Amino acid sequence: MPRITSYHAQLELAEELKKYLNGLQERLDVVIHHFEQEAGKLYDAGMMDETFNDFVNNYMNETNNKIRSVIDIVNGRDIPFVDDYIGRLEELIARYGNA
């Protein structure tokens, strides 16, 4: 299958990637929220205080912090890369058209 390499096609692909990355951040944030909700349900169902606190403080919080770290990386590196690429493509389109 031939690859479509026009600037407009590349721009569309880059915009789709950015859309995906933004959605990824949102989905990961939802994962954190659901994880906390599920832990809360276990506590409400009778999980012992000590066990719940140990889990939250020594496990869940660390996992959530790692997920937040991924969100930060996507926001701080991946999306800016795509934004820069989109900007360069837009410049090329303005200069040369849809070559």
Side-chain angles (χ1 to χ4, degrees):
M1 178 175 194
R3 295 174 66 83
I4 301 171
T5 58
S6 73
Y7 294 142
H8 281 291
Q10 294 302 303
L11 180 60
E12 288 178 22
L13 293 172
E15 288 170 343
E16 283 296 314
L17 178 57
K18 182 176 178 180
K19 182 179 172 182
Y20 173 81
L21 291 170
N22 284 322
L24 176 62
Q25 289 179 298
E26 292 171 10
R27 290 186 301 277
L28 289 172
D29 195 48
V30 168
V31 167
I32 292 170
H33 179 71
H34 284 172
F35 192 16
E36 291 170 348
Q37 279 185 325
E38 289 302 313
K41 287 178 186 177
L42 293 174
Y43 182 75
D44 292 343
M47 181 181 272
M48 293 188 306
D49 289 345
E50 298 82 10
T51 303
F52 177 77
N53 291 332
D54 180 42
F55 176 69
V56 168
N57 294 325
N58 296 313
Y59 300 94
M60 186 178 75
N61 286 343
E62 182 177 344
T63 300
N64 286 346
N65 287 336
K66 288 185 187 285
I67 295 169
R68 284 185 189 96
S69 175
V70 171
I71 293 169
D72 290 343
I73 291 169
V74 169
N75 192 53
R77 296 187 60 190
D78 299 342
I79 291 174
F81 169 83
V82 175
D83 283 338
D84 182 58
Y85 182 58
I86 288 170
R88 287 182 284 148
L89 287 168
E90 289 172 339
E91 288 176 15
L92 290 169
I93 291 169
R95 185 177 299 153
Y96 301 111
N98 194 35

